Amino acid sequence: MNDILKIEPILGFVANDNHLRASRDGKEFEGILPVPSWSEDIVKPNGTVTDTVAEMKKVIRRYAWQTEKLAPLLKGKDTYQTCQNIWNFLFLHIKYKEDDEGKEQLRTPALSWAVRRTRGIDCDDFTLFAGCLLYNLNIPMYIRIARYEG
């Protein structure tokens, strides 16, 4: 596969709160995503944005295979619709929750799917999941992390 993944700062997930929102159960997707190994990559305690972005690129390449079966199901008639399908899938099926203070955890798509309704995942994990889907669909993407105060 061509190297379509750039580490520069456009697909974005922004959460407006830290509450676990209701999500669809996603039973129709069971078996499409693999069972996770239940390990989490923690970039490093108190990891910086630079550390996180560098590691995210590696995680997407290493774990894109986990979304190989799901990616074609989300493909739309064009790139815009495909990206909209991916965003809707993730937003409707996975709860949002920030990582614990002082930890920068990066979860694989399989682990994110496994904890989607109980623990939830943060924006980095949403981006990893979307990035793996885009990678499998050969759609170029950039990783950008933004932090908002207040």
Side-chain angles (χ1 to χ4, degrees):
M1 181 174 291
N2 292 335
D3 186 8
I4 60 169
L5 188 62
K6 312 257 187 303
I7 192 137
E8 299 169 14
I10 294 261
L11 173 65
F13 290 94
V14 177
N16 59 3
D17 60 36
N18 198 28
H19 301 306
L20 291 174
R21 69 175 177 270
S23 64
R24 296 183 182 172
D25 66 20
K27 288 184 184 201
E28 66 271 28
F29 299 103
E30 295 297 332
I32 293 174
L33 290 155
V35 174
S37 65
W38 293 100
S39 63
E40 294 176 324
D41 292 323
I42 298 177
V43 175
K44 64 169 74 170
N46 300 308
T48 66
V49 170
T50 303
D51 296 332
T52 301
V53 172
E55 191 62 24
M56 288 173 76
K57 182 177 176 181
K58 294 177 197 172
V59 171
I60 289 170
R61 284 196 179 115
R62 190 178 316 136
Y63 294 100
W65 66 270
Q66 293 183 349
T67 62
E68 283 178 341
K69 293 178 183 176
L70 177 61
L73 300 176
L74 300 176
K75 187 171 173 90
K77 65 180 189 237
D78 56 27
T79 302
Y80 181 83
Q81 185 180 29
T82 299
C83 290
Q84 192 171 39
N85 291 346
I86 290 170
W87 189 89
N88 285 331
F89 171 81
L90 294 172
F91 183 82
L92 293 172
H93 289 92
I94 301 177
K95 295 176 184 182
Y96 176 83
K97 185 176 185 308
E98 287 183 6
D99 283 339
D100 295 334
E101 186 69 32
K103 286 185 177 180
E104 186 50 66
Q105 299 169 289
L106 298 179
R107 294 173 184 87
T108 66
L111 183 57
S112 291
W113 185 253
V115 300
R116 72 189 180 276
R117 300 181 77 212
T118 55
R119 184 159 91 207
I121 63 174
D122 73 353
C123 52
D124 299 344
D125 302 323
F126 275 97
T127 302
L128 287 173
F129 205 135
C132 287
L133 290 163
L134 292 168
Y135 191 82
N136 281 309
L137 294 168
N138 204 30
I139 297 174
M141 66 167 285
Y142 292 90
I143 298 173
R144 175 182 287 164
I145 295 180
R147 182 167 190 96
Y148 301 96
E149 299 297 329

